[in-house]
Amino acid sequence: MAWRNGPESFGLVTRILHWTMALMVAVMIGLGKRIEAMEPGLSNLWLYSLHKSLGLVVLALVVARLVWHRISPPPRPVGGGWQALAARIVHAAIYLLLLAIPLSGWIASSATGLDILFLDRWVVPAIAPVSTAIEYAGFEAHEVMANLLLLLLLLHIGAAFKREVDGDGTLKRMVLGRR
């Protein structure tokens, strides 16, 4: 079992990062939708803190994944043509959103003037001045980008299943590392 990616295979590190991030993003989207639907109160503030902490973990994981891909480039997509181009565009957009969404949440949370705590223990430095306008714009951007990410992930998942049904081994390669 190879740790690094090969010319035709995904290594263990890439697969662990991929599936850990998939689980984290699913939890974050669900938690974000729950938070969006509720009225803030003392009994549910811990959910906001959990969402912020997990968002910082997602940000760290996506940075780690991008660094890992520089160290161990992923294999080329199976096939070619417009589908390979579409896959590259969707992957780039997903990575961009996985960076931008946590950053917009961090900016918006910083703009509230309230301390951001990581795991209810460590204070995260503010990255924006206290400002109602920045807070509002940041949270609006955060929500719009999260909804866009959800759409792109559904497209990504659907394409992976379609390709698996077509028998090209793309999904199997991300699960087992090879076709």
Side-chain angles (χ1 to χ4, degrees), residues 55-94:
L56 291 169
V57 171
V58 168
L59 181 60
L61 284 171
V62 74
V63 168
R65 191 164 175 193
L66 290 168
V67 168
W68 177 249
H69 283 314
R70 298 298 277 173
I71 295 167
S72 181
R76 288 193 170 280
V78 176
W82 71 269
Q83 290 180 332
L85 177 61
R88 280 195 300 275
I89 291 168
V90 169
H91 278 104
I94 288 171

Side-chain angles (χ1 to χ4, degrees), residues 76-172:
R76 288 193 170 280
V78 176
W82 71 269
Q83 290 180 332
L85 177 61
R88 280 195 300 275
I89 291 168
V90 169
H91 278 104
I94 288 171
Y95 278 112
L96 183 64
L97 289 168
L98 287 173
L99 289 168
I101 293 168
L103 288 172
S104 67
W106 190 356
I107 289 167
S109 294
S110 295
T112 67
L114 302 173
D115 281 343
I116 303 167
L117 294 177
F118 180 70
L119 302 177
D120 288 331
R121 178 172 290 243
W122 298 282
V123 176
V124 178
I127 60 171
V130 175
S131 164
T132 305
I134 293 173
E135 174 187 353
Y136 178 78
F139 283 130
E140 283 297 312
H142 189 73
E143 181 181 0
V144 168
M145 289 187 292
N147 287 329
L148 179 57
L149 176 64
L150 179 56
L151 289 173
L152 288 174
L153 290 175
L154 290 173
L155 178 64
H156 175 74
I157 292 164
F161 280 119
K162 182 201 178 302
R163 293 186 72 163
E164 190 60 29
V165 168
D166 290 347
D168 79 355
T170 297
L171 183 58
K172 185 176 178 185

